């Protein structure tokens, strides 16, 4: 389109400024903060070099957080991406009637529309030891109940289970859309050649949607390392520090312990992990487009 | 005949699996709804039983006790944020795709790069910035970061859609004497309705439910949004479980209703791009 030279930049300017000012600058500032001892109550800052990093990596909760974020990541990959994709294949297959497909898909998607806090609070009731849903069910079947969120061995698994309940349907919807975009004649040709539904899924549908599958996997992994609200609204990292995760640790260091430098280091750690994964995601999406 | 039978059995089993999954999703929700209609005594006696009297006044109580305030704040914050996100992102995506301008490649990479930067990494500096700008603890303390953090992803989705619009449409409009802004508002925006719908739902889901920024940047109870409201609500009500449950349901309904009204548009807008976040 022929216009005056500056015109395209006028369209891009407001959005670009917002992103630079409220996303890029704070993230860069955070890297700077990680080398200082900082408090939110005083303006001064003391340069401490890598001391915040040393404290972060030697903190007792560091291995706990790595384990918890890692567990969340692996289980989410298996359940949300793995099982979610299988459900998408089933929905797009011939076994489910055309009308029911959309209904099932929307029902599975529904939990992801409820706020993380609301889901967190709902599940604290569901896991509640005396009157909660799960223990009431167990009692009705004459089985012993458990302290679920109050048990340091179980708490993180309860939170992970809650997230699988909430987000598996999200991936199912994304993958179902991706499978719909695979040209129908591919599958028809394969069917004429005698390929069964499983064979068609493995050798046609999944390879055709592999880009979306990878994107879903990376999004899930990134989400696992940003985990915060789910833990905050259920256990607040307890009992003890047993369900502590990086995101919540950052918040607590900054706003409960007033140790902004330590929070900044946690931020840098999350930053490195998510940026590496995001670059990978962009490579995948772009390689498919060109 | 044997393969026919085999086919029929697997069809039944797969349908059963789909229904079973619906049960897994609905059972906890159903239990929550059931208990939101009881008295606290009834809940403590047996949380699995049906209510003796269906107490819909729990909902009225939750609403009047303060939920309406959080609700209003969320409507305000979400609508301003959503409008700004859609306007800024569509203009930016238009500038990126429909002109041949220098530096577009770099601008695109900068904007897209924003997708990799997470809210937590910016949390502490943003807190200090908002205080310095004296907008901490105002509606703008969350609105501005919401807009900024949602632009990259929204541009990513819109750009892919805009690229697929054929250039001939614009050429015809130029012959008719349209300028670039008229082309944007009269041609690009109307044919991009599906992607606007998808972006609206995805972003609304984010801003309506966002917790981290709202928790840190909104201290004053009078301006807090629903997710923060729910946390304080529960703290205030302590052992009034049934009212809290009613509140949780009220807070969750708007988006669910909206999604079921717009789900067709939503799915249509989701082309090959990745939508989560």
């Amino acid at each position: 389109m022929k216009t005056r030279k500056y015109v395209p930049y006028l369209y891009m300017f407001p959005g670009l400024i917002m992103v630079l000012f409220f996303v890029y600058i704070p993230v860069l500032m955070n890297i700077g903060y990680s080398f200082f001892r900082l408090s939110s109550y005083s303006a001064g800052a003391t340069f401490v070099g890598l001391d915040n990093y040393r404290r972060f990596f030697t903190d007792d909760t560091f291995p706990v957080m790595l384990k918890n974020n890692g567990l969340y990541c692996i289980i989410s990959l298996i359940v949300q991406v793995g099982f979610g994709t299988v459900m998408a294949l089933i929905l797009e297959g011939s076994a489910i009637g055309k009308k029911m497909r959309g209904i099932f898909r929307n029902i599975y998607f529904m939990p992801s529309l409820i706020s993380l806090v609301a889901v967190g609070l709902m599940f604290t009731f569901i896991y509640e030891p005396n009157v909660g849903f799960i223990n009431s069910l167990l009692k009705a079947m004459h089985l012993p109940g458990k302290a679920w969120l109050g048990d340091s061995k179980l708490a993180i698994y309860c939170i992970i289970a809650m997230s699988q309940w909430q987000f598996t349907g999200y991936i199912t919807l994304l993958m179902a859309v991706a499978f719909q975009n695979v040209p129908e004649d591919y599958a028809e040709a394969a069917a004429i050649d005698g390929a069964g539904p499983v064979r068609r899924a493995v050798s046609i549908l999944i390879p055709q949607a592999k880009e979306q599958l990878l994107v879903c996997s990376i999004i899930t992994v990134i989400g696992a390392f940003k985990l915060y609200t789910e833990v905050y609204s259920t256990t607040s990292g307890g009992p003890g520090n047993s369900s502590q995760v990086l995101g919540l640790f950052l918040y607590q260091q900054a706003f409960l312990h007033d140790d902004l430098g330590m929070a900044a280091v946690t931020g840098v750690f999350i930053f490195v992990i998510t940026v590496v994964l995001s670059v990978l995601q962009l490579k995948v999406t772009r390689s498919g487009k060109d | 005949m044997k393969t026919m039978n085999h086919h029929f059995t697997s069809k039944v089993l797969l349908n059963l699996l789909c229904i079973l999954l619906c049960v897994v999703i609905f059972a906890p929700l159903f239990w929550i709804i059931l208990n939101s209609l009881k008295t606290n005594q009834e809940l403590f006696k047996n949380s699995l039983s049906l209510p003796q009297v269906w107490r819909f006044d729990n909902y009225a109580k939750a609403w009047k006790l303060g939920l309406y305030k959080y609700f209003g704040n969320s409507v305000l914050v979400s609508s301003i944020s959503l409008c700004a996100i859609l306007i800024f992102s569509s203009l930016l995506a238009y500038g990126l795709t429909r002109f041949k301008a220098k530096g577009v490649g770099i601008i695109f990479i900068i904007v897209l790069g924003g997708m990799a930067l997470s809210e937590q990494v910016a949390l502490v500096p943003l807190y200090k910035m908002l205080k310095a700008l004296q907008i901490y603890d105002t509606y703008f303390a969350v609105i501005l970061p919401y807009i900024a953090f949602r632009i990259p992803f929204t541009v990513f989705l819109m750009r892919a859609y805009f690229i697929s619009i054929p250039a001939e449409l614009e050429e015809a409009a130029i012959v008719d004497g349209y300028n670039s802004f008229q082309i944007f508002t009269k041609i690009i925006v109307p044919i991009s309705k599906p992607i606007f719908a998808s972006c609206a739902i995805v972003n609304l889901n984010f801003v309506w439910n966002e917790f981290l920024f709202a928790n840190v940047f909104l201290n004053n109870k009078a301006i807090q949004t629903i997710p923060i409201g729910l946390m304080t609500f529960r703290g205030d009500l302590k052992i009034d479980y049934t009212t809290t449950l009613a509140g949780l349901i009220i807070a969750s309904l708007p988006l669910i209703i909206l999604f079921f009204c717009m789900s067709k548009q939503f799915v249509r807008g989701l082309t090959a791009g990745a939508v989560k976040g």
Side-chain angles (χ1 to χ4, degrees):
Chain A
M1 200 190 309
K2 270 186 197 161
T3 43
R4 264 171 266 221
K5 270 192 178 159
Y6 62 85
V7 169
Y9 303 107
L10 286 183
Y11 288 106
M12 294 186 267
F13 186 74
L16 186 63
I17 285 295
M18 288 295 290
V19 174
L20 287 177
F21 197 76
F22 289 105
V23 180
Y24 275 89
I25 291 179
V27 167
L28 290 177
M29 279 165 75
N30 184 75
I31 298 174
Y33 282 5
S34 70
F35 301 107
F36 288 88
R37 180 146 299 155
L38 278 169
S39 154
S40 49
Y41 302 110
S42 59
T46 332
F47 183 78
V48 291
L50 292 172
D51 190 55
N52 290 329
Y53 286 86
R54 182 193 58 77
R55 286 195 299 135
F56 175 70
F57 288 113
T58 54
D59 196 288
D60 286 343
T61 44
F62 181 71
V64 180
M65 295 190 288
L66 269 195
K67 190 198 100 195
N68 287 342
N69 283 98
L71 266 175
Y72 186 98
C73 175
I74 292 165
I75 294 176
S76 298
L77 275 177
I78 296 170
V79 178
Q80 291 176 30
V81 182
F83 181 65
T85 303
V86 171
M87 285 316 293
L89 282 169
I90 291 172
L91 287 184
E92 292 306 310
S94 56
I96 312 295
K98 267 228 164 94
K99 255 193 189 160
M100 289 314 289
R101 257 178 223 181
I103 295 173
F104 283 138
R105 199 184 55 205
N106 288 351
I107 289 173
Y108 301 159
F109 183 74
M110 191 182 67
S112 63
L113 294 163
I114 307 173
S115 84
L116 292 170
V117 173
V119 170
L121 295 181
M122 283 179 189
F123 274 78
T124 39
F125 284 111
I126 285 161
Y127 288 131
E128 208 276 335
N130 299 313
V131 295
F133 182 52
I134 295 184
N135 275 3
S136 298
L137 275 184
L138 289 172
K139 208 168 121 193
M141 294 187 286
H142 302 288
L143 291 167
K146 282 207 154 74
W148 305 113
L149 292 173
D151 184 327
S152 59
K153 284 209 184 83
L154 290 175
I156 189 68
Y157 292 98
C158 292
I159 294 169
I160 294 172
M162 173 181 98
S163 287
Q164 310 314 311
W165 176 85
Q166 189 173 13
F167 290 119
T168 302
Y170 203 124
I171 302 285
T172 302
L173 177 96
L174 289 186
M175 289 312 297
V177 172
F179 291 141
Q180 279 167 18
N181 287 342
V182 176
E184 264 175 45
D185 24 329
Y186 287 21
E188 273 163 23
I192 291 166
D193 289 346
V198 176
R199 188 65 211 267
R200 285 203 297 270
V202 174
S203 16
I204 293 170
L205 288 172
I206 290 179
Q208 284 289 316
K210 74 163 189 287
E211 186 192 313
Q212 176 78 332
L213 191 62
L214 260 166
V215 169
C216 285
S217 311
I218 294 165
I219 289 166
T220 306
V221 178
I222 292 175
F225 286 94
K226 298 200 317 198
L227 183 63
Y228 164 79
T229 312
E230 293 91 324
V231 183
Y232 183 101
S233 60
T234 49
T235 63
S236 307
N241 263 322
S242 62
S243 59
Q244 188 61 282
V245 289
L246 291 162
L248 184 62
F249 182 76
L250 185 154
Y251 167 83
Q252 289 176 343
Q253 290 301 320
F255 301 104
L256 293 182
H257 307 304
D258 196 33
D259 191 346
L260 298 187
M262 187 78 146
V265 171
T266 318
V268 171
F269 190 71
I270 297 174
F271 170 78
V272 170
I273 294 176
T274 48
V275 165
V276 168
L277 290 165
S278 303
V279 169
L280 211 69
Q281 176 188 346
L282 286 186
K283 280 230 163 110
V284 172
T285 11
R286 297 199 82 184
S287 70
K289 294 262 154 64
D290 296 334
Chain B
M1 249 349 251
K2 212 175 177 186
T3 54
M4 277 292 281
N5 270 332
H6 177 75
H7 186 68
F8 181 75
T9 327
S10 68
K11 212 168 165 173
V12 170
L13 285 177
L14 288 175
N15 273 286
L16 278 178
L17 177 69
C18 286
I19 293 167
L20 183 73
L21 211 59
C22 290
V23 173
V24 171
I25 284 169
F26 276 123
L29 292 177
F30 188 68
W31 181 82
I32 299 270
I33 295 170
L34 194 71
N35 285 294
S36 74
L37 295 163
K38 292 182 187 173
T39 62
N40 281 296
Q41 287 86 334
E42 274 180 89
L43 185 152
F44 278 102
K45 221 155 99 199
N46 182 1
S47 73
L48 292 178
S49 68
L50 288 172
Q52 284 164 345
V53 185
W54 299 74
R55 296 189 184 272
F56 291 97
D57 51 333
N58 284 341
Y59 284 75
K61 194 177 161 200
W63 181 255
K64 279 189 217 140
L65 269 176
L67 205 63
Y68 72 93
K69 237 185 340 186
Y70 302 124
F71 211 90
N73 291 334
S74 270
V75 170
L76 184 79
V77 166
S78 301
S79 46
I80 296 176
S81 307
L82 183 63
C83 289
I85 292 166
L86 292 180
I87 292 170
F88 287 177
S89 303
S90 58
L91 286 172
L92 181 45
Y94 179 61
L96 281 174
T97 50
R98 313 309 286 184
F99 301 92
K100 283 193 183 90
K102 266 186 197 161
V104 159
I106 295 165
I107 295 175
F108 178 57
I109 288 171
I110 292 173
V111 173
L112 215 57
M115 272 169 41
L117 308 177
S118 79
E119 295 88 341
Q120 279 147 338
V121 184
L123 187 70
V124 172
L126 264 178
Y127 171 75
K128 290 214 147 195
M129 269 171 75
L130 295 169
K131 283 213 152 171
L133 293 170
Q134 299 195 323
I135 48 175
Y136 174 80
D137 219 2
T138 67
Y139 289 121
F140 284 104
V142 285
I143 290 174
L144 293 173
Y146 286 172
I147 299 169
F149 270 90
R150 297 309 293 174
I151 287 175
F153 185 60
T154 314
V155 167
F156 172 68
L157 291 180
M158 287 189 169
R159 178 182 170 273
Y161 198 91
F162 288 178
I163 286 175
S164 70
I165 298 171
E168 287 82 9
L169 284 171
E170 283 158 85
E171 281 156 17
I174 292 168
V175 174
D176 288 344
Y178 279 31
N179 65 31
S180 69
F181 190 67
Q182 286 168 320
I183 292 175
F184 175 69
T185 51
K186 294 189 177 148
I187 296 173
I188 304 286
V189 174
I191 45 178
S192 303
K193 264 191 204 146
I195 194 68
F196 272 87
S198 306
C199 291
I201 292 221
V202 174
N203 284 314
L204 200 60
N205 193 12
F206 177 87
V207 290
W208 184 265
N209 294 327
E210 204 281 337
F211 183 71
L212 178 69
F213 283 163
N215 192 27
V216 177
F217 301 153
L218 301 176
N219 216 355
N220 180 354
K221 259 193 175 184
I223 61 166
Q224 284 172 343
T225 52
I226 283 219
I228 315 302
L230 290 177
M231 284 302 281
T232 32
F233 201 61
R234 190 179 71 143
D236 292 346
L237 289 172
K238 299 259 161 38
I239 49 158
D240 189 353
Y241 284 9
T242 56
T243 312
T244 312
L245 292 177
L248 289 175
I249 292 161
I250 297 176
S252 310
L253 274 180
L255 272 184
I256 292 176
I257 294 170
L258 195 74
F259 171 74
F260 278 95
C261 295
M262 287 175 70
S263 69
K264 264 206 179 129
Q265 287 271 352
F266 177 68
V267 173
R268 204 184 307 161
L270 301 181
T271 42
V275 182
K276 181 171 179 178

